[in-house]
Amino acid sequence: MFMLESHLSADQNRVLAEVQSAAGEANLSLFLTGGAMRDMLAGFPIRDLDFTTEGEAAKLAKALASRLHAAISEDDEGRGAFELRVPGGLTAQIAMARRERYPKPGAKPEVSPATIHEDLRYRDFTVNSIALSLNRASRGLLIDPTNGLGDIERKELRTAYNYALYDDPSRILRLVRLRVRLAFAIEERTASQYANVRAEKLEEKIPPRRLFEELRQIADEPNPTDVLHALEQENLLGVFSAALTGGKLNTAGLARLQKAQQAVPAGVKFPVQNFGLFLSFLTEKFTPKDKAALVKTTAMRKAEVEAWQKLDTHAKKLERDLKSPKLNRPSHVYNALSKVPGEEILFVLARTQARVVQDRIRNYLQKYLPMAQEVTDDEVKAVGVQPGTPKFEKAKLELIGKKLNARPKKPAPEEVEPPPPAPPPTGPAPLRRAYSRQPSAR
């Protein structure tokens, strides 16, 4: 538990506490599972929180959506899994412990409730089949029925059961993605399973929404270009779009995007919806027909398409606004950008050629935003304004503006002490040589 809490951010710890509290009130057994456990035990940053309950998860997820003011969405295949998007960019999943049976490769699974041990035994890979009990009686107990911890120590990817890749062929995409991100080797029998699945061309049976979910996971990767290159080497990019198999893979654009993302300092709160941003650069060389085919292949929904295809229009407006001469103080730049989604800011930074726009965005990310986040709610309370009131955000914005616009104080010059006087001579006076003033021989 100490390892977990030390790996989590303040917001993640807050969500963890709320989920534990709500599960306790609902009398549900709760476990932290999946990628969160894998990343913690392997020493990687925890990106998303995955919770599993023994029992119905729908009521718990809805209660948490209300408590955390989060948007909620349900899994498409009736697996009893719910995704919560908490304000600030944090994502958490609440899922029912379940057993999935597949009538044929790529088919919709038959889902039935299960214990946590059964759930873990029939997941995709052993490194994702580890759970941590968050229940009062067994809090901190590690559950690892497939020895995933041993595979993490060996830096090896192994399927949790013999037919994992046959049942759900989308797992071959996940296998390549995890191999790139974790820099793990693929275990011998798992490599043999992978080869057999490819020989039978089961990648052609991956359902459209599974393709969408995997594409969304690639968008959230720290280095998506490396994942795309690995999929290209495995001849798997074509499952998303035939246009990605030729010279239309925009690696130069994705490199510009990655450089822009690296301008965000570590530890600064800067939520970004990566999916639309990633697709904008990935499909930069696509024709309208290519884009329409990608939407169809991945069964993209209207809101998901708009998040991608309207980004360019929004970013152009932002770029025009940032060229305004009226933004002549740090607080003006901060006020202009603090209300804009992070993906629009990074889109402009990666695309713009205007130096003034680049400088203003970089100053916002690297100077103004970190300074603004130093202003705490307690400082606002000190001026007599209580949180939750309409005046609170206004008062906080004023304090931030004063902090940003204040000229940095010049350091006071250090006082240099004069050297101590030389001690008086103690020996005989030095002899002085006498020179004659006779005229020179010349």
Side-chain angles (χ1 to χ4, degrees):
M1 290 305 300
F2 174 78
M3 182 188 293
L4 172 64
E5 290 166 3
S6 62
H7 273 72
L8 298 179
S9 66
D11 287 342
Q12 288 173 327
N13 269 307
R14 179 176 63 86
V15 171
L16 176 67
E18 288 286 356
V19 175
Q20 289 181 96
S21 174
E25 293 170 8
N27 199 26
L28 286 172
S29 296
L30 181 71
F31 306 88
L32 184 70
T33 55
M37 288 300 299
R38 176 198 67 222
D39 291 343
M40 179 189 77
L41 294 170
F44 293 96
I46 297 176
R47 299 192 303 178
D48 301 318
L49 296 173
D50 300 316
F51 298 98
T52 301
T53 66
E54 288 185 332
E56 183 63 46
K59 189 174 180 181
L60 174 64
K62 291 174 183 176
L64 284 166
S66 176
R67 291 167 72 154
L68 296 169
H69 307 289
I72 183 172
S73 59
E74 187 174 1
D75 175 74
D76 295 314
E77 298 181 334
R79 297 178 173 188
F82 300 83
E83 184 178 81
L84 302 177
R85 290 195 170 271
V86 184
L90 181 62
T91 302
Q93 185 187 75
I94 312 294
M96 173 186 70
R98 61 193 184 273
R99 174 74 191 273
E100 298 177 357
R101 292 178 175 84
Y102 293 81
K104 58 182 179 179
K108 185 177 179 178
E110 298 171 356
V111 178
S112 57
T115 65
I116 187 63
H117 288 81
E118 291 173 320
D119 179 286
L120 296 175
R121 285 183 182 278
Y122 291 95
R123 292 197 169 210
D124 50 4
F125 306 108
T126 59
V127 296
N128 294 334
S129 303
I130 307 172
L132 184 73
S133 173
L134 299 174
N135 304 297
R136 185 174 299 176
S138 57
R139 183 177 166 84
L141 176 66
L142 197 69
I143 306 171
D144 183 15
T146 62
N147 195 27
L149 184 56
D151 290 330
I152 289 175
E153 292 174 351
R154 286 188 296 272
K155 295 187 176 182
E156 198 169 64
L157 289 170
R158 178 167 59 91
T159 50
Y161 65 102
N162 291 337
Y163 296 96
L165 301 184
Y166 286 92
D167 285 346
D168 183 358
S170 71
R171 289 168 175 168
I172 66 175
L173 303 175
R174 198 175 312 154
L175 180 65
V176 174
R177 177 168 57 82
L178 290 177
R179 173 175 64 80
V180 172
R181 174 147 66 94
L182 302 176
F184 281 13
I186 298 177
E187 183 257 349
E188 185 177 353
R189 282 181 295 180
T190 301
S192 178
Q193 285 183 49
Y194 172 84
N196 292 336
V197 168
R198 296 301 309 278
E200 296 182 28
K201 296 184 178 180
L202 294 183
E203 66 270 16
E204 297 174 2
K205 297 184 179 296
I206 300 175
R209 284 304 290 182
R210 295 284 182 89
L211 288 175
F212 169 81
E213 287 299 329
E214 191 56 37
L215 196 60
R216 192 176 72 161
Q217 290 293 331
I218 295 171
D220 286 331
E221 286 293 319
N223 194 340
T225 308
D226 286 352
V227 178
L228 293 173
H229 280 313
L231 291 170
E232 185 180 32
Q233 290 172 357
E234 297 291 331
N235 294 320
L236 284 170
L237 272 185
V239 301
F240 298 106
S241 169
L244 290 173
T245 57
K248 293 184 180 180
L249 181 59
N250 186 28
T251 53
L254 290 169
R256 293 199 312 273
L257 173 60
Q258 187 172 355
K259 185 177 179 181
Q261 291 170 327
Q262 290 170 350
V264 183
V268 172
K269 291 182 182 178
F270 186 69
V272 177
Q273 296 294 333
N274 287 317
F275 183 67
L277 184 63
F278 167 75
L279 279 191
S280 296
F281 285 86
L282 178 68
T283 62
E284 202 167 25
K285 299 180 181 180
F286 277 28
T287 64
K289 186 178 179 180
D290 293 334
K291 293 180 180 180
L294 178 62
V295 170
K296 183 178 179 180
T297 302
T298 58
M300 227 177 284
R301 294 169 183 157
K302 183 180 178 181
E304 295 157 353
V305 174
E306 289 179 351
W308 158 32
Q309 298 189 352
K310 289 188 175 182
L311 187 57
D312 184 54
T313 304
H314 296 160
K316 285 178 180 177
K317 180 181 181 303
L318 175 61
E319 185 173 8
R320 287 195 302 270
D321 294 342
L322 287 174
K323 291 178 180 178
S324 171
K326 294 181 180 179
L327 303 181
N328 53 13
R329 305 193 75 186
S331 61
H332 298 163
V333 176
Y334 177 82
N335 292 342
L337 288 172
S338 60
K339 301 168 187 175
V340 177
E343 56 271 20
E344 292 182 24
I345 295 173
L346 293 181
F347 186 97
V348 173
L349 181 59
R351 284 272 185 89
T352 186
Q353 298 297 319
R355 183 60 183 270
V356 65
V357 175
Q358 293 176 0
D359 289 345
R360 283 172 174 170
I361 291 178
R362 290 186 183 279
N363 284 335
Y364 170 75
L365 293 174
Q366 297 172 3
K367 295 180 183 178
Y368 309 153
L369 192 58
M371 289 176 66
Q373 291 181 4
E374 292 174 1
V375 178
T376 64
D377 290 351
D378 290 337
E379 292 180 60
V380 185
K381 290 179 189 176
V383 299
V385 184
Q386 293 300 316
T389 62
K391 294 181 179 180
F392 185 81
E393 288 302 321
K394 184 179 178 182
K396 189 170 186 177
L397 199 60
E398 289 175 356
L399 285 178
I400 290 171
K402 289 179 182 178
K403 186 179 184 70
L404 295 178
N405 294 332
R407 293 184 178 181
K409 296 180 180 179
K410 294 183 179 179
E414 295 182 3
E415 295 185 2
V416 181
E417 296 183 2
T426 56
L431 297 175
R432 296 180 182 272
R433 183 176 178 180
Y435 291 93
S436 65
R437 293 187 177 274
Q438 295 178 0
S440 167
R442 289 165 44 180

